Amino acid sequence: LGHDIHFHDKKIALLEAGPGKEYDHMPDTYSNRVSSVSPGSATLLSSFGAWDHVCSLRLKPFRRMQVWDACSEAMIVFEKDDLDDMGYIVENDVIMSALTKQLNAVADRVEVFYRSRAVGYTWPLPSHSCDTSPWVQIELSDGRRLQTKLLIGADGHNSVVRKEAEIKNIEHRYDQSAVVATLHLSEATDNNVAWQRFLPTGPIALLPLSDTASSLVWSTSHEHASELLAMDEESFVDSINSAFWSNVNHSDFIDTAGAMFRSAISLLKPSGTAVRQLPPSVAKVDPESRAMFPLGMGHATQYVQHRVALIGDAAHRVHPLAGQGVNLGFGDIACLAHHLSAAAFNGRDLGSLKHLLKFETERQRHNVSLIAATDMLKRLYSTRLAPLVLLRTWGLQATNALPPVKVRI
Amino acid sequence: TMKRLFSASHSSVDSKEMKKFQLLAHKWWDEEGEYSALHSMNDIRVPFIRDTLLNMSSNYHLGNPLSGVKILDVGCGGGLLSEPLGRLGASVTGIDPLEDNIRTADQHKSFDPVLAKRIQYKSSSLEEIVEECMETFDVIVASEVVEHVADLEMFIKCCSQVLKPEGSLFITTINKTQLSYVLGIVVAEKITGIVPEGTHEWEKFVPPEELERLLESNGFSVKTVNGMLYNPLSGSWSWMESTSINYAMHAVKSGAQGQSSPADAPSELESEQPLATAGTTM
């Protein structure tokens, strides 16, 4: 918003609990928190000059995504025909640094309050007939007071803004935690493929960072996650390799059924079965790079209220299995910025519900189906029960053979 | 020459009209209330004013498009139109004969430090400010006003006096047709209550042809006429070809030299006033 031309004479304040983070060059080790940035999100970031900074720091484009089941041979491969990048694996620190740089560039319009926390909110009444201020009042922990026409809550899935605004949140805690780590591969490779295998305990994913390094995101039960963190590095590496390579979950029944289906497809659609590539094997893990965090799903019943808007995880939280969480947030931003920019150019009061509702409708329509689908996939793949395995095996094989469906995904 | 009436009843202000608005003076800023149609009218009249002015000027900044422009909002009411124009950078003077309206407008803008500086409100009629404000304003906006004035020609003459040469006059109002009676009064007021009952009198509606005639014969050149349509289901306004119900008009006061124009018809005016060509419909 600070870079938007129609916001030229507006004032924006950003409250950030952490310290400022800006890097000129990245440290040698990779950070263990990474995001898969879609091309659409990259476009958003480049629209205000942040993507250039990301590129100059570091990122890894990937061209292909192979997703397969641990209980069968079923597999689906995503790649773009024109060999374009499907997405980019970027460390979260890199994104933060790029954003910080661009924030500094508009410091005259955007004031960032680092290490600040809001301790109280006063909400205005929608009707304007009273003598009290019609704006939102915010009290900071250091005693300062701010007032604003529009408060945007971007404070994560435990959003205080959302709670204080009394917006109900539908939430569900998965009994899974995600384990992240930075891994080193056995041998250098092009490493432009993202790998994900659905184990009954949860999906394990390998996201490329460089020719020799990849980032691990392994969603599994809380107990298993704690074990993984506690075990020594060699055992940890063995667990990962075995998770990707072992066929212990296969059953003859499923394998046969799957093979039959595959032959059927290749009769109908010869090009419908893709070549299975083998994921790289892992040699070692970066010490101190192992961490875990609990997973859940959430969706706010309203994204907006008079003078309030929620974006990103404050509005919706998904399982990382689709790698979409951050991209949904970027989508929210692009949409809200568009509506606010138009409102500013029409001289409208920025906190007015009219254009905020347009943002909410647009994003809810888009987000709800994706959140529901992600949740459903998570449940579908959390089982070894034969009928469901068969269902998803055939479903995956069929989807792999159908270009129109794949393109939509 | 123009006669100024110094009597208590102002010449272009109708005291009956004032009483009607008195009752609703505090309801201006309830976006879902009696004035909701006027709030949503901003969605087309603000871009109309903004874009017309931007098209006429060559140096402007998109972040502050109306910066440096002095606007007079006649019949500003609670300031519904003054505020967005102020946000776009203009220096706005809003006048309204009803003190309660001005009070509401003043109070509403007082919370916004930027607007408080850019907008000035005065409880006054148009005639009362003519003397001190000769040729002061770049733009005059008279939105949903001319159907309430007592003497339209006097109103237009006053506008001309306070407007700079080549300044713009924007008017939105209601046409006097059977359709506007049915929709604008029967449906809008009596049936659906979109407009508070008794707000409008069909007799005082102004057909665009007559408005154009009055403008052209008082030193204005009409540049644009556009029909407007209100959709009560969505609560939103849109532009339409036909001017049979609501319409907006943009006219420009002739400059000191006047503009050259096709002179097929004999000029009735003594000086070099531009001749009217039929108003262009978009």
Short mmCIF file of all heavy atoms in Angstrom, two decimals, chain B residues 210-242:
data_model
loop_
_atom_site.label_atom_id
_atom_site.label_comp_id
_atom_site.label_asym_id
_atom_site.label_seq_id
_atom_site.Cartn_x
_atom_site.Cartn_y
_atom_site.Cartn_z
N GLU B 210 -34.18 22.33 -20.52
CA GLU B 210 -34.37 23.66 -19.93
C GLU B 210 -33.13 24.10 -19.17
O GLU B 210 -32.71 25.27 -19.25
CB GLU B 210 -35.57 23.62 -18.98
CG GLU B 210 -35.94 25.02 -18.50
CD GLU B 210 -37.04 24.97 -17.46
OE1 GLU B 210 -37.96 24.14 -17.65
OE2 GLU B 210 -36.96 25.73 -16.48
N LEU B 211 -32.52 23.17 -18.47
CA LEU B 211 -31.30 23.50 -17.73
C LEU B 211 -30.22 23.96 -18.70
O LEU B 211 -29.51 24.95 -18.46
CB LEU B 211 -30.85 22.27 -16.93
CG LEU B 211 -29.67 22.48 -15.99
CD1 LEU B 211 -29.94 23.58 -15.00
CD2 LEU B 211 -29.35 21.18 -15.24
N GLU B 212 -30.13 23.25 -19.82
CA GLU B 212 -29.13 23.62 -20.80
C GLU B 212 -29.39 25.01 -21.34
O GLU B 212 -28.48 25.83 -21.49
CB GLU B 212 -29.19 22.61 -21.96
CG GLU B 212 -27.88 21.98 -22.30
CD GLU B 212 -27.97 21.05 -23.47
OE1 GLU B 212 -28.50 19.93 -23.30
OE2 GLU B 212 -27.51 21.44 -24.55
N ARG B 213 -30.65 25.29 -21.63
CA ARG B 213 -31.01 26.59 -22.19
C ARG B 213 -30.61 27.69 -21.22
O ARG B 213 -30.00 28.69 -21.58
CB ARG B 213 -32.52 26.62 -22.46
CG ARG B 213 -33.01 27.89 -23.13
CD ARG B 213 -34.53 27.87 -23.27
NE ARG B 213 -35.24 27.79 -22.00
CZ ARG B 213 -35.42 28.81 -21.16
NH1 ARG B 213 -34.94 30.00 -21.47
NH2 ARG B 213 -36.08 28.64 -20.03
N LEU B 214 -30.95 27.48 -19.94
CA LEU B 214 -30.61 28.49 -18.94
C LEU B 214 -29.11 28.67 -18.81
O LEU B 214 -28.61 29.79 -18.67
CB LEU B 214 -31.19 28.10 -17.58
CG LEU B 214 -32.69 28.32 -17.39
CD1 LEU B 214 -33.14 27.70 -16.08
CD2 LEU B 214 -33.02 29.80 -17.43
N LEU B 215 -28.39 27.56 -18.86
CA LEU B 215 -26.94 27.65 -18.71
C LEU B 215 -26.33 28.38 -19.90
O LEU B 215 -25.52 29.29 -19.75
CB LEU B 215 -26.34 26.24 -18.58
CG LEU B 215 -26.54 25.54 -17.23
CD1 LEU B 215 -26.11 24.08 -17.31
CD2 LEU B 215 -25.76 26.26 -16.14
N GLU B 216 -26.74 27.97 -21.09
CA GLU B 216 -26.13 28.55 -22.29
C GLU B 216 -26.44 30.03 -22.39
O GLU B 216 -25.61 30.82 -22.85
CB GLU B 216 -26.63 27.81 -23.54
CG GLU B 216 -26.31 26.32 -23.56
CD GLU B 216 -24.94 26.02 -24.19
OE1 GLU B 216 -24.39 26.90 -24.86
OE2 GLU B 216 -24.44 24.90 -24.00
N SER B 217 -27.63 30.43 -21.94
CA SER B 217 -27.94 31.85 -22.06
C SER B 217 -27.37 32.67 -20.92
O SER B 217 -27.58 33.86 -20.84
CB SER B 217 -29.46 32.06 -22.16
OG SER B 217 -30.08 31.49 -21.04
N ASN B 218 -26.65 32.02 -20.03
CA ASN B 218 -26.02 32.76 -18.95
C ASN B 218 -24.51 32.59 -18.93
O ASN B 218 -23.88 32.64 -17.89
CB ASN B 218 -26.61 32.33 -17.60
CG ASN B 218 -27.95 32.98 -17.34
OD1 ASN B 218 -28.02 34.18 -17.07
ND2 ASN B 218 -29.02 32.22 -17.47
N GLY B 219 -23.96 32.34 -20.08
CA GLY B 219 -22.51 32.34 -20.19
C GLY B 219 -21.85 31.00 -19.97
O GLY B 219 -20.65 30.93 -19.72
N PHE B 220 -22.63 29.91 -20.03
CA PHE B 220 -22.02 28.60 -19.85
C PHE B 220 -22.06 27.82 -21.15
O PHE B 220 -22.95 28.03 -21.99
CB PHE B 220 -22.77 27.78 -18.80
CG PHE B 220 -22.45 28.19 -17.39
CD1 PHE B 220 -23.28 29.09 -16.71
CD2 PHE B 220 -21.34 27.69 -16.73
CE1 PHE B 220 -22.99 29.46 -15.41
CE2 PHE B 220 -21.06 28.05 -15.44
CZ PHE B 220 -21.89 28.94 -14.76
N SER B 221 -21.15 26.91 -21.30
CA SER B 221 -21.17 26.02 -22.46
C SER B 221 -21.28 24.60 -21.91
O SER B 221 -20.42 24.14 -21.17
CB SER B 221 -19.87 26.21 -23.24
OG SER B 221 -19.64 25.10 -24.05
N VAL B 222 -22.39 23.95 -22.28
CA VAL B 222 -22.62 22.62 -21.73
C VAL B 222 -21.76 21.60 -22.45
O VAL B 222 -21.80 21.49 -23.68
CB VAL B 222 -24.11 22.23 -21.85
CG1 VAL B 222 -24.33 20.79 -21.43
CG2 VAL B 222 -24.95 23.16 -20.99
N LYS B 223 -20.98 20.85 -21.69
CA LYS B 223 -20.05 19.91 -22.31
C LYS B 223 -20.54 18.48 -22.30
O LYS B 223 -20.25 17.70 -23.19
CB LYS B 223 -18.70 19.97 -21.56
CG LYS B 223 -18.04 21.31 -21.60
CD LYS B 223 -17.47 21.60 -22.95
CE LYS B 223 -16.82 22.97 -22.99
NZ LYS B 223 -16.55 23.39 -24.36
N THR B 224 -21.20 18.11 -21.23
CA THR B 224 -21.60 16.70 -21.09
C THR B 224 -22.94 16.60 -20.41
O THR B 224 -23.21 17.33 -19.45
CB THR B 224 -20.59 15.95 -20.19
OG1 THR B 224 -19.28 16.28 -20.58
CG2 THR B 224 -20.78 14.45 -20.29
N VAL B 225 -23.77 15.68 -20.92
CA VAL B 225 -25.00 15.33 -20.21
C VAL B 225 -25.08 13.81 -20.16
O VAL B 225 -24.92 13.14 -21.17
CB VAL B 225 -26.26 15.86 -20.93
CG1 VAL B 225 -27.50 15.54 -20.11
CG2 VAL B 225 -26.15 17.36 -21.15
N ASN B 226 -25.29 13.26 -18.97
CA ASN B 226 -25.34 11.80 -18.82
C ASN B 226 -26.53 11.41 -17.99
O ASN B 226 -26.78 12.00 -16.95
CB ASN B 226 -24.12 11.32 -18.05
CG ASN B 226 -22.93 11.12 -18.94
OD1 ASN B 226 -23.08 10.89 -20.13
ND2 ASN B 226 -21.75 11.20 -18.37
N GLY B 227 -27.25 10.38 -18.43
CA GLY B 227 -28.34 9.87 -17.61
C GLY B 227 -27.81 8.99 -16.48
O GLY B 227 -26.77 8.35 -16.62
N MET B 228 -28.50 8.98 -15.34
CA MET B 228 -28.10 8.15 -14.21
C MET B 228 -29.26 7.27 -13.81
O MET B 228 -30.42 7.65 -13.91
CB MET B 228 -27.74 9.05 -13.01
CG MET B 228 -26.51 9.90 -13.23
SD MET B 228 -26.41 11.34 -12.13
CE MET B 228 -26.54 10.65 -10.53
N LEU B 229 -28.95 6.08 -13.32
CA LEU B 229 -29.99 5.15 -12.93
C LEU B 229 -29.68 4.55 -11.56
O LEU B 229 -28.55 4.13 -11.31
CB LEU B 229 -30.09 4.03 -13.97
CG LEU B 229 -31.17 2.96 -13.68
CD1 LEU B 229 -32.56 3.57 -13.75
CD2 LEU B 229 -31.05 1.81 -14.68
N TYR B 230 -30.69 4.52 -10.69
CA TYR B 230 -30.49 3.92 -9.37
C TYR B 230 -31.13 2.54 -9.34
O TYR B 230 -32.28 2.37 -9.72
CB TYR B 230 -31.14 4.80 -8.29
CG TYR B 230 -30.95 4.29 -6.89
CD1 TYR B 230 -29.68 4.24 -6.31
CD2 TYR B 230 -32.03 3.85 -6.12
CE1 TYR B 230 -29.49 3.78 -5.02
CE2 TYR B 230 -31.85 3.39 -4.82
CZ TYR B 230 -30.57 3.35 -4.27
OH TYR B 230 -30.39 2.90 -3.00
N ASN B 231 -30.38 1.56 -8.90
CA ASN B 231 -30.91 0.19 -8.75
C ASN B 231 -31.22 -0.06 -7.29
O ASN B 231 -30.30 -0.20 -6.49
CB ASN B 231 -29.87 -0.81 -9.27
CG ASN B 231 -30.34 -2.25 -9.14
OD1 ASN B 231 -31.28 -2.54 -8.39
ND2 ASN B 231 -29.72 -3.15 -9.86
N PRO B 232 -32.49 -0.07 -6.93
CA PRO B 232 -32.84 -0.18 -5.50
C PRO B 232 -32.46 -1.53 -4.89
O PRO B 232 -32.26 -1.63 -3.68
CB PRO B 232 -34.35 0.03 -5.47
CG PRO B 232 -34.83 -0.21 -6.85
CD PRO B 232 -33.70 0.03 -7.78
N LEU B 233 -32.32 -2.55 -5.74
CA LEU B 233 -31.98 -3.87 -5.20
C LEU B 233 -30.53 -3.92 -4.75
O LEU B 233 -30.20 -4.44 -3.70
CB LEU B 233 -32.24 -4.97 -6.24
CG LEU B 233 -33.69 -5.11 -6.66
CD1 LEU B 233 -33.80 -6.05 -7.85
CD2 LEU B 233 -34.54 -5.62 -5.51
N SER B 234 -29.64 -3.37 -5.58
CA SER B 234 -28.23 -3.41 -5.21
C SER B 234 -27.84 -2.15 -4.44
O SER B 234 -26.77 -2.07 -3.86
CB SER B 234 -27.36 -3.52 -6.46
OG SER B 234 -27.53 -2.37 -7.26
N GLY B 235 -28.74 -1.15 -4.47
CA GLY B 235 -28.41 0.10 -3.78
C GLY B 235 -27.33 0.87 -4.48
O GLY B 235 -26.61 1.65 -3.86
N SER B 236 -27.16 0.68 -5.78
CA SER B 236 -26.06 1.36 -6.46
C SER B 236 -26.54 2.10 -7.70
O SER B 236 -27.57 1.80 -8.29
CB SER B 236 -24.98 0.35 -6.84
OG SER B 236 -25.51 -0.60 -7.72
N TRP B 237 -25.75 3.09 -8.07
CA TRP B 237 -26.03 3.94 -9.23
C TRP B 237 -25.18 3.51 -10.42
O TRP B 237 -24.08 3.01 -10.26
CB TRP B 237 -25.67 5.39 -8.90
CG TRP B 237 -26.59 6.04 -7.94
CD1 TRP B 237 -26.50 6.03 -6.59
CD2 TRP B 237 -27.76 6.82 -8.27
NE1 TRP B 237 -27.53 6.77 -6.04
CE2 TRP B 237 -28.31 7.26 -7.05
CE3 TRP B 237 -28.38 7.19 -9.47
CZ2 TRP B 237 -29.46 8.05 -6.99
CZ3 TRP B 237 -29.50 7.98 -9.41
CH2 TRP B 237 -30.05 8.40 -8.19
N SER B 238 -25.72 3.77 -11.62
CA SER B 238 -24.90 3.54 -12.81
C SER B 238 -25.28 4.57 -13.86
O SER B 238 -26.32 5.23 -13.77
CB SER B 238 -25.14 2.12 -13.34
OG SER B 238 -26.52 1.90 -13.53
N TRP B 239 -24.45 4.69 -14.87
CA TRP B 239 -24.72 5.63 -15.95
C TRP B 239 -25.68 4.99 -16.94
O TRP B 239 -25.67 3.77 -17.14
CB TRP B 239 -23.42 5.99 -16.68
CG TRP B 239 -22.46 6.73 -15.81
CD1 TRP B 239 -21.26 6.28 -15.36
CD2 TRP B 239 -22.62 8.05 -15.27
NE1 TRP B 239 -20.65 7.24 -14.59
CE2 TRP B 239 -21.45 8.32 -14.51
CE3 TRP B 239 -23.60 9.03 -15.35
CZ2 TRP B 239 -21.25 9.54 -13.85
CZ3 TRP B 239 -23.41 10.23 -14.68
CH2 TRP B 239 -22.26 10.48 -13.94
N MET B 240 -26.49 5.81 -17.59
CA MET B 240 -27.36 5.27 -18.61
C MET B 240 -27.54 6.27 -19.73
O MET B 240 -27.36 7.47 -19.53
CB MET B 240 -28.68 4.85 -17.92
CG MET B 240 -29.91 5.54 -18.33
SD MET B 240 -31.32 4.71 -17.60
CE MET B 240 -32.15 6.13 -16.94
N GLU B 241 -27.87 5.77 -20.90
CA GLU B 241 -28.06 6.62 -22.08
C GLU B 241 -29.14 7.67 -21.84
O GLU B 241 -28.96 8.85 -22.09
CB GLU B 241 -28.51 5.74 -23.25
CG GLU B 241 -27.42 5.20 -24.13
CD GLU B 241 -26.82 6.26 -25.04
OE1 GLU B 241 -27.55 7.17 -25.48
OE2 GLU B 241 -25.62 6.17 -25.30
N SER B 242 -30.26 7.19 -21.33
CA SER B 242 -31.43 8.06 -21.28
C SER B 242 -31.39 8.97 -20.07
O SER B 242 -31.02 8.57 -18.97
CB SER B 242 -32.68 7.18 -21.22
OG SER B 242 -33.72 7.86 -20.58
#
